[in-house]
Amino acid sequence: MSQQLVIDAHRFVRESRNLEGSLELLELPRLHDLVTQVAGKVQYRLKGVSGERGQPRLHLEVSGVLPLICQRCLATVEEELEIDSLLELVPEGSEPTQEELEDDSLDFLPVAGALDVRALIEDEILLALPVAPRHEACGLPSDTEAGERPHPFAALAGLKGKLN
Ligand SMILES: [Zn+2]
């Protein structure tokens, strides 16, 4: 079911192509450790565009909702993805100049020719996610006290008691 999404990046830009679709979370294995369940999907749109001096660029948009793990209560905290990235294609192994590094409006993507779009989307999602996702207020009454943490196995221990 997992389709290969490999494009010739430079040709894609030259021909001003457009690629749209969706990816199941199942197809993005590097995100699996970060979510409470491998369910749902993300939408993406990739466009080949040129910079003001003809620089080859890719415009990538990704949206969707990921069920991330709250670092405080370990329950699901839904993270809404809204990625809008401009990526300039540069030869592999090239070093961007200082001026280019200071330009926050775009990122550099070293690519020789073939580009795995699925892996690119996965990279961009990983970059966009919060380092420590958490609810603004976890749904547990005890959590209003600063520094108080519910024990992650407390619920499990309660369950075990019922089974005995
Ligand atoms: Zn929480």
Side-chain angles (χ1 to χ4, degrees), residues 45-46 58-62 83-85 87 120-121 124:
R45 185 208 300 220
L46 185 69
L58 292 172
H59 182 201
L60 176 67
E61 290 168 279
V62 183
I83 296 172
D84 188 335
S85 301
L87 304 156
L120 174 67
I121 291 170
E124 290 292 311

Side-chain angles (χ1 to χ4, degrees), residues 30-48:
R30 281 184 289 154
L31 301 179
H32 291 182
D33 283 349
L34 308 173
V35 294
T36 53
Q37 52 173 334
V38 182
K41 53 183 164 185
V42 297
Q43 269 77 40
Y44 65 87
R45 185 208 300 220
L46 185 69
K47 274 167 98 168

Side-chain angles (χ1 to χ4, degrees), residues 13-32:
V13 172
R14 222 167 34 238
E15 296 176 356
S16 305
R17 287 213 218 160
N18 207 332
L19 185 68
E20 273 182 68
S22 61
L23 284 171
E24 300 282 339
L25 202 44
L26 203 61
E27 300 173 79
L28 303 167
R30 281 184 289 154
L31 301 179
H32 291 182

Side-chain angles (χ1 to χ4, degrees), residues 14-148:
R14 222 167 34 238
E15 296 176 356
S16 305
R17 287 213 218 160
N18 207 332
L19 185 68
E20 273 182 68
S22 61
L23 284 171
E24 300 282 339
L25 202 44
L26 203 61
E27 300 173 79
L28 303 167
R30 281 184 289 154
L31 301 179
H32 291 182
D33 283 349
L34 308 173
V35 294
T36 53
Q37 52 173 334
V38 182
K41 53 183 164 185
V42 297
Q43 269 77 40
Y44 65 87
R45 185 208 300 220
L46 185 69
K47 274 167 98 168
V49 295
S50 294
E52 55 279 5
R53 294 192 302 276
Q55 305 95 315
R57 292 175 179 172
L58 292 172
H59 182 201
L60 176 67
E61 290 168 279
V62 183
S63 62
V65 177
L66 293 184
L68 297 184
I69 303 164
C70 171
Q71 296 303 296
R72 201 153 38 190
C73 73
L74 303 180
T76 301
V77 55
E78 292 197 335
E79 174 72 17
E80 199 160 328
L81 281 178
E82 263 191 68
I83 296 172
D84 188 335
S85 301
L86 194 57
L87 304 156
E88 187 160 310
L89 305 181
V90 293
E92 266 181 319
S94 73
E95 293 284 331
T97 65
Q98 194 58 35
E99 188 191 348
E100 286 170 337
L101 284 174
E102 282 167 7
D103 187 347
D104 288 336
S105 67
L106 56 84
D107 289 310
F108 293 90
L109 183 67
V111 57
L115 177 70
D116 183 342
V117 175
R118 194 194 53 76
L120 174 67
I121 291 170
E122 209 173 33
D123 283 340
E124 290 292 311
I125 293 175
L126 286 168
L127 283 173
L129 291 182
V131 179
R134 56 180 64 179
H135 296 108
E136 259 172 56
C138 294
L140 300 162
S142 65
D143 200 64
T144 49
E145 303 283 318
E148 199 175 329

